[in-house]
Amino acid sequence: MSQAKTSAEAAAAAQTLFRVALGGVLIAHGSQKLFGWFGGGGIEGTSKGMHAMGFRPATPSAVLAGAGEAGAGLALALGLATPAAGAVAATTMGVAAGVHAHNGFFATEGGFEYPAVLGLAAASFTIGGPGLYSLDALTGHVLDRPWMRAVSFAAIPAVMAAQLYRRRKALAEDADADAAVTGAAGDQH
């Protein structure tokens, strides 16, 4: 067997291993939000957290975050519709990184390190595709065309920006409402 063939097979195997592992992590994260598995809060607990973080309406936000993580994770693990799956996962994790950014970089301090790495990994599959051992390859890349990769990758920052803007706006409205209540309470004395 030639060195080039061995290297190509090893690279394809490594790409598959990484894609399946990333998908598994995302499935677990989404399952925490959707079903309360693995110590997660389920829809109710996740909704409360989403509301506190400024995502409105909270319950649909929780469902979308959980479904985005679990669904995109499953599609990535299978290597199916990889551009869209990678973009959904990258966007979801990018928004999570944005939420944690005020805590700095390291995950040990509540920072954005972990969601950023997951998001970047997912984005790499949006750009580079699923590899040889995937359902996309098996189906002739019907759901993995070059134009799909470009459109999906371009959508990531746009959707992230829209979600983070909506969150900042909701938090600002909360702060204004709190200030109005505090001001009204102060006027009564």
Side-chain angles (χ1 to χ4, degrees):
M1 193 178 299
S2 74
Q3 178 64 27
K5 183 172 169 97
T6 302
S7 294
E9 289 172 351
Q15 185 178 20
T16 301
L17 177 64
F18 185 50
R19 193 190 73 241
V20 171
L22 174 64
V25 169
L26 291 166
I27 291 167
H29 272 270
S31 296
Q32 288 180 309
K33 291 173 178 64
L34 293 172
F35 311 116
W37 296 350
F38 312 113
I43 295 296
E44 184 178 335
T46 303
S47 295
K48 290 176 185 174
M50 293 295 236
H51 183 83
M53 288 184 281
F55 292 101
R56 309 287 161 53
T59 299
S61 294
V63 170
L64 286 172
E69 291 174 6
L74 179 61
L76 280 172
L78 296 172
L80 180 64
T82 305
V88 168
T91 301
T92 303
M93 292 294 97
V95 170
V99 169
H100 291 278
H102 72 278
N103 293 323
F105 177 72
F106 292 104
T108 54
E109 304 297 322
F112 67 92
E113 171 187 20
Y114 185 62
V117 168
L118 292 178
L120 289 169
S124 74
F125 288 105
T126 300
I127 298 166
L132 295 174
Y133 308 120
S134 64
L135 289 181
D136 278 336
L138 188 66
T139 61
H141 296 278
V142 173
L143 300 173
D144 176 33
R145 302 283 189 211
W147 69 266
M148 293 174 183
R149 292 180 187 190
V151 169
S152 295
F153 188 71
I156 295 168
V159 176
M160 279 176 48
Q163 288 299 315
L164 291 170
Y165 171 78
R166 288 181 60 216
R167 174 183 178 261
R168 280 192 298 274
K169 185 177 173 187
L171 290 173
E173 289 170 358
D174 288 353
D176 289 347
D178 288 347
V181 167
T182 302
D187 291 343
Q188 292 177 4
H189 293 228

